[in-house]
Every structure is written in C-alpha cells, then in structure tokens.
Amino acid sequence: MLVLGIETTCDETAAAVVERHDDGRAAILANVVLSQIAEHAAFGGVVPEIAARAHVEALDLIIATAMADAGRDFGVLDGVAAAAGPGLIGGVIVGLTTAKAIAIVHEKPLIAVNHLEAHALTARLTDGTPFPYCLFLASGGHTQIVAVRGIGDYVRLGTTRDDAIGEAFDKTAKLLGLGYPGGPRVEQEAASGDRGRFILPRPMIGRHDADFSLSGLKTALRLEAEKIAPLTNQDVADLCASFQLAVVEMIVDRLCQGLRIFRQRFGAPSALVAAGGVAANRAIRDALQEVALQDQVALVVPPPSLCTDNAAMIAWAGAERLAHGLRDTLHAAPRARWPLDQVTKPVVAESAPSVVTAPVTTDVASAAPSEVASPNSAHSGTASSVVA
Ligand code: KG4
Ligand code: ZN
C-alpha cells in the first residue's frame, strides 16, 4: 500500500511517500520537510497568516520533490493522506485542499488524518510496535499520556492543565532572550549550566492522577531571573539547566503514574512510546529510559526527525487507516480542534482486518470538536531536512 502524506498544520511544509506491506512492515520512500523557521524567527513564534501563505508557496514543489525522491507517479498511489487537524486552520486548509485535488485528479482515496493520531502511530512505522502501548506525546501544543489500543482507539490517561511542555520550553527561551525555536536552544544552554543552582518547583509530583502543569514552573523561573537581572551567560545556562531538570523530574513522576493507571485499566502495555518534538530532547529521552527500566517495559523513541512534525507519519497513519478500510469523503473538513478520542475507528477488530470487504467511508466533519489547538505553540523542525 503506497500512500502520499501531506503535513501543513503548523510551520513545516512536508510531503512523504510511505509503503505499508501486508504484514505491517513499513518503508519510507521519501520524506521531505521544509521548515519555516526563518519566516517566523523575527516574530519570536509562529505567525498563522505567514505560515499559511508560506505553505501555499511551497507545497507543490515539496510534493513534486517527494514523488521524485520516491521515483513514483501519482498513478501508482493507493491513497493520498493529509493532516486535517488539529492545527493552525489556514495551513490545514492548504494541505487538505491540495490532497483533495490530487485525489480527484488521480481518482485515489483520500484519508483525512488527525495529526495527533499520526504522532501516536509513528512507533509502528519505525518499530512495528504492537497494540496496546502507552504513549507520551509532548509537543508545542500538546502534552498527553494516552493508551493506544488500536487504530482509532485512544484513551487519554493524563494531560496538561495549562501549558504544553514544548510551549514551556519556548516561553522560557523567549524570557531568557534565546529566540525561536525555544526547545533546542534551552537544551543547548542547559548543557553548560548548573542544574542545582536554582530550586524550582516540580508541580503535580506525588499526585495520583497522570496530569501535568507547567505554568507555576514558568512563573518561578521568571521570578528567579528577575531577582538576579541583568543576566550573565552563565546565569542563563544555569536557569535553563535548572528548568530542564524540573521538567525531567516531573515527566518521570507523571509517566510512572500514567503507566500504573494503564496497567490498572488495560493490563500490561507492549511498550512506553514517545512522540512529539519534545522527545528530541536528550535529557528527556534519558529520563524515559529511566522510567522504562523502573517499570520494566520496553521503550520506543523514534529518531528526532520523526518525533518532530513530518509527513512520513501522516502517510503512515493514512496507510494504517486505509488498510483497515477507513477512508474519507471529499467533504472532510479541516479542523483547528480535533481531540484524539474523537477519531473514527474501523468497524472490525485490529486482529482481523482481512474480513473488511467494502471500504468504510467516514466524514470527520460530523464529529464535534472540544479541544483547542494552541495557536501560539511554536512548532519547530530542528531535525528536519530542508529543501530550498
Ligand atoms: O511535534 P512538534 O514538532 O510540533 C508540534 O507542536 O506539533 O513539536 C515542537 C515543539 C516545540 O515547542 C519545540 O520547542 C519542542 O517541540 N522541542 C523541544 C526540543 N526540540 C523541539 N523541546 C525541548 N527540547 C528539544 N530539544
Ligand atoms: Zn506535532
């Protein structure tokens, strides 16, 4: 099954061609990502209107490049998948409309993919991870612990009560004058800092739920910075290191709770899986390793370039949905809000996809949205390959 994927929900214009074999194995034939960091850097974050216009200008070339890299024509595709949300609506419209045009012209099925579902299924693209698994999704707009039980079958076990983790990294960078994108800059500074110099709070630690909260930490960091202003380079490095350590310790505690709740409700997970741009952070990856060891569960962390936004994950999610008989009509709506638990499910169990004889047509426009994608989240493409 050969699927073209298109990603335009934030500040990466991306297209990829992915092949899914009948036994579930995957091959990425092309994966092209154009980061818009340069367009947004002067504004200290993603400007939605600039992002949408940049997607319009770049997308045709990015798709053509992906098809050329894969050495395939549109005619041999089995489907065209686009991220239909959640995300910045102008960009989502550009990607989904382009996918619809390709689907109409070449008479291919359209798959309107939920961007979060694509992050959630990436571990199956990279490692063939079997269901059910415990997902830690941490990006610029989302921080969630999710039980991934099958295609379209997601149960949220924990979430953030205020800022997303990536957003907290981005705001910390902005406060300390490190620029955009924030996450990689804070990590870089933290490497030469003293992480014990500032005692910052570890919100939520010790609670029985699996929720996160970042706003108190962010405020505490600002107060510490104000106390010692003007900041030297070493002050900035020490603040970054202390902030990163607080985040890491919170993640370890919250994931232990998440895994406990997972086992209570669904039995043993096949793995702890990380996804989203924040998982590109080395200290956080090491912390996940510590949790996995403590909990005696396998750890799957896709390579950084597949943790940050990309189209290979969109193509893969499209292929997985198509393989389970799921496709969408040309009425599929672009959505700024689209919680993971409102994604449509196949009508048959994952263990018996072969009994599907007729494709099930889903129309995501009919589902009611209830979660807001953060328009301020500065998504970054640190590990992306850039096409001029
Ligand atoms: O998944 P992603 O590429 O885009 C979405 O938000 O969907 O994630 C981007 C987020 C940004 O907030 C960025 O600062 C954060 O991931 N991030 C990092 C690192 N690399 C990216 N946060 C901490 N450390 C990093 N190395
Ligand atoms: Zn993302």
Side-chain angles (χ1 to χ4, degrees):
M1 190 165 283
L2 194 68
V3 176
L4 166 68
I6 297 172
E7 160 60 36
T8 54
T9 62
C10 193
D11 63 343
E12 274 92 16
T13 311
V17 180
V18 168
E19 194 159 29
R20 182 186 188 276
H21 298 278
D22 288 344
D23 60 5
R25 278 183 308 112
I28 299 175
L29 304 190
N31 188 17
V32 184
V33 182
L34 174 67
S35 170
Q36 299 177 0
I37 285 176
E39 276 93 332
H40 300 287
F43 303 94
V46 179
V47 183
E49 182 59 26
I50 293 177
R53 285 166 190 267
H55 288 308
V56 171
E57 278 168 23
L59 188 54
D60 285 354
L61 175 62
I62 297 298
I63 292 172
T65 305
M67 295 303 291
D69 284 359
R72 306 291 165 91
D73 295 323
F74 288 118
V76 298
L77 293 173
D78 294 297
V80 183
L88 300 175
I89 197 64
V92 176
I93 290 170
V94 173
L96 184 59
T97 307
T98 305
K100 285 178 181 176
I102 296 170
I104 292 169
V105 170
H106 298 282
E107 298 182 344
K108 302 294 175 188
L110 171 78
I111 311 104
V113 169
N114 179 301
H115 177 94
L116 302 177
E117 178 174 42
H119 274 305
L121 297 176
T122 301
R124 293 171 58 76
L125 163 68
T126 57
D127 293 79
T129 309
F131 299 124
Y133 52 85
C134 184
L135 171 75
F136 172 50
L137 171 61
S139 66
H142 303 273
T143 298
Q144 301 184 2
I145 299 175
V146 178
V148 180
R149 306 173 66 211
I151 303 298
D153 189 358
Y154 311 106
V155 180
R156 200 170 70 183
L157 305 178
T159 187
T160 180
R161 300 192 173 181
D162 36 61
D163 292 350
I165 296 177
E167 192 179 357
F169 269 92
D170 293 330
K171 286 178 176 171
T172 296
K174 203 168 184 174
L175 175 83
L176 299 176
L178 296 175
Y180 161 86
R185 300 299 311 278
V186 170
E187 179 176 15
Q188 208 180 339
E189 289 293 324
S192 57
D194 171 5
R195 59 187 202 164
R197 178 168 163 205
F198 298 98
I199 310 299
L200 299 172
R202 274 76 167 140
M204 311 301 278
I205 284 194
R207 293 175 58 107
H208 257 61
D209 57 45
D211 285 344
F212 295 78
S213 170
L214 276 299
S215 67
L217 174 57
K218 186 185 63 190
T219 307
L221 180 104
R222 181 171 53 76
L223 294 176
E224 291 292 345
E226 283 170 4
K227 262 191 243 165
I228 57 164
L231 302 177
T232 64
N233 289 346
Q234 193 56 50
D235 292 336
V236 170
D238 294 347
L239 282 163
C240 286
S242 303
F243 167 80
Q244 188 169 278
L245 178 65
V247 172
V248 161
E249 289 186 1
M250 177 172 36
I251 290 173
V252 169
D253 181 80
R254 304 291 72 208
L255 279 179
C256 288
Q257 289 300 331
L259 283 163
R260 182 186 59 74
I261 298 169
F262 188 110
R263 281 178 205 281
Q264 236 170 31
R265 294 182 60 182
F266 308 114
S270 73
L272 171 63
V273 165
V278 173
N281 183 294
R282 189 70 252 171
I284 293 174
R285 291 166 90 91
D286 291 346
L288 297 179
Q289 189 70 58
E290 182 189 323
V291 172
L293 265 175
Q294 251 179 48
D295 206 82
Q296 300 207 321
V297 64
L299 177 68
V300 177
V301 187
S305 61
L306 294 174
C307 282
T308 49
D309 287 350
N310 66 89
M313 68 178 190
I314 305 296
W316 173 254
E320 290 247 68
R321 292 184 71 77
L322 210 47
H324 287 77
L326 291 163
R327 53 186 289 185
D328 295 273
T329 70
L330 293 171
H331 298 293
R335 300 171 62 162
R337 312 161 180 195
W338 189 5
L340 202 43
D341 53 14
Q342 285 180 13
V343 170
T344 51
K345 262 188 225 202
V347 286
V348 292
E350 128 92 358
S351 55
S354 56
V355 301
V356 177
T357 49
V360 180
T361 304
T362 62
D363 186 351
V364 295
S366 58
S370 74
E371 189 184 71
V372 182
S374 163
N376 296 324
S377 67
H379 301 208
S380 81
T382 48
S384 310
S385 67
V386 176
V387 169

